[in-house]
Amino acid sequence: MRKTKKLKPNMVLVIVLCTLLLCISMATYYDLIILPKISKLITVTILFSFYFCQLNKMANVFLSIFLIFFIGDALSVFDFGEISSQLSKSMYIGAYLLLIFVLLGKLKKVKFEGLVTVYLALVLLLNSYFLYALYGVAKENFIDDIDLVLYICHGITLIAMTYFAFAVYLSRETVQSITFLLMVFCFVFSDVLYYICQLYVYFWIFEVFEGILHTSGLFLLYKYVYDHHTHRNSDKRINFSEYFIPTTEKLKQIRVNF
């Protein structure tokens, strides 16, 4: 008898991701508010189902992160008023704090010297200035003090997560560090677009990108956890071009005449 072949995670995930992103885009364009929220909610369920079909273990910290994201998405979908929105934001902040906790374990081997220190200082300053500028524009729109506190905590958490992700990437430049950095970018820009739509100006294309980036961030989190537990390319140094367009020496030697 032939042995059953396992599904290739990358191919199936790409198909599912493209389908979800298409649904989010079309639903937002036609003003079907509930569908993008439901798409966010089922994303974690799909990732969980597919992950445990491939592997039977997951570290407690990653399991907690996925569950907290799921609760945050559920609270945003089943809106029970202002307290539901505040709890949803609190869940997201909690998930980001756990991601920072994961990064702190990687920072033990980081050496802050030379250009790395300059890059990190620039990242911290630019992110802090951007948060302050956005706060200056939107602070008058906050009626509830709790929302204002959550906004500030959310911004500080995003800055810290971006800073530590950059620190780990600049010191190691592995596949895992790039995946984590891209995931952080997705979550940060997704949340920034959310606040722009909620507090400054609403434009449907912003909401589309907010949903796309949030979903992409969850898929990158899945990839990071999957690679972590399968130890795939965990210590291999790589750059951004090789991450997106893998190549070999044979491919480099091929000449193309125009």
Side-chain angles (χ1 to χ4, degrees):
M1 295 180 65
R2 295 182 179 179
K3 294 182 179 180
T4 304
K5 295 182 178 180
K6 287 187 177 182
L7 295 173
K8 293 182 179 180
N10 289 339
M11 181 58 67
V12 176
L13 285 179
V14 167
I15 294 173
V16 175
L17 174 61
C18 292
T19 303
L20 282 174
L21 296 184
L22 180 61
C23 292
I24 292 173
S25 302
M26 295 299 293
T28 305
Y29 179 77
Y30 288 106
D31 201 22
L32 303 174
I33 300 174
I34 193 65
L35 289 183
K37 293 182 177 181
I38 293 177
S39 298
K40 283 185 180 181
L41 184 61
I42 65 174
T43 299
V44 175
T45 306
I46 292 173
L47 293 177
F48 253 40
S49 301
F50 192 76
Y51 180 91
F52 285 106
C53 286
Q54 300 293 319
L55 299 174
N56 58 2
K57 63 178 182 178
M58 180 184 290
N60 291 332
V61 62
F62 296 126
L63 182 63
S64 300
I65 291 170
F66 275 116
L67 289 177
I68 292 174
F69 269 123
F70 178 81
I71 295 173
D73 291 336
L75 289 171
S76 66
V77 172
F78 305 104
D79 192 358
F80 300 109
E82 188 66 23
I83 189 172
S84 178
S85 176
Q86 293 171 353
L87 288 174
S88 177
K89 294 173 184 176
S90 300
M91 291 296 106
Y92 291 142
I93 293 173
Y96 296 154
L97 288 174
L98 286 178
L99 289 175
I100 293 174
F101 174 78
V102 173
L103 286 171
L104 291 177
K106 307 289 184 181
L107 284 175
K108 296 179 180 178
K109 300 180 181 180
V110 174
K111 295 181 179 179
F112 297 95
E113 57 184 13
L115 289 177
V116 173
T117 305
V118 177
Y119 287 146
L120 292 177
L122 288 175
V123 169
L124 182 61
L125 290 174
L126 288 174
N127 281 304
S128 300
Y129 175 77
F130 183 75
L131 176 65
Y132 178 77
L134 190 60
Y135 168 77
V137 172
K139 64 180 180 180
E140 296 180 356
N141 296 325
F142 288 102
I143 300 176
D144 193 341
D145 291 337
I146 297 178
D147 287 331
L148 179 60
V149 172
L150 287 174
Y151 171 80
I152 295 173
C153 293
H154 201 160
I156 294 173
T157 305
L158 291 177
I159 290 176
M161 189 167 62
T162 305
Y163 179 82
F164 291 135
F166 256 113
V168 173
Y169 165 71
L170 291 174
S171 63
R172 306 188 73 175
E173 295 183 5
T174 61
V175 174
Q176 287 290 77
S177 66
I178 295 177
T179 299
F180 204 104
L181 183 61
L182 291 174
M183 177 193 67
V184 169
F185 281 160
C186 287
F187 286 138
V188 168
F189 286 111
S190 172
D191 291 347
V192 168
L193 288 173
Y194 170 81
Y195 278 113
I196 289 175
C197 288
Q198 293 293 320
L199 302 175
Y200 186 56
V201 59
Y202 176 82
F203 192 42
W204 72 269
I205 196 68
F206 289 168
E207 188 173 353
V208 168
F209 278 112
E210 185 263 328
I212 289 174
L213 289 170
H214 182 80
T215 305
S216 300
L218 290 175
F219 272 82
L220 287 169
L221 176 60
Y222 168 92
K223 173 177 170 54
Y224 181 87
V225 176
Y226 185 89
D227 290 348
H228 172 79
H229 285 290
T230 55
H231 304 288
R232 297 194 311 173
N233 301 321
S234 57
D235 296 323
K236 181 181 177 182
R237 294 180 70 86
I238 192 172
N239 56 40
F240 268 110
S241 61
E242 292 174 346
Y243 181 82
F244 290 106
I245 308 175
T247 186
T248 62
E249 290 299 325
K250 291 184 178 180
L251 290 176
K252 291 179 180 179
Q253 293 174 4
I254 296 176
R255 294 183 179 181
V256 180
N257 297 322
F258 293 93

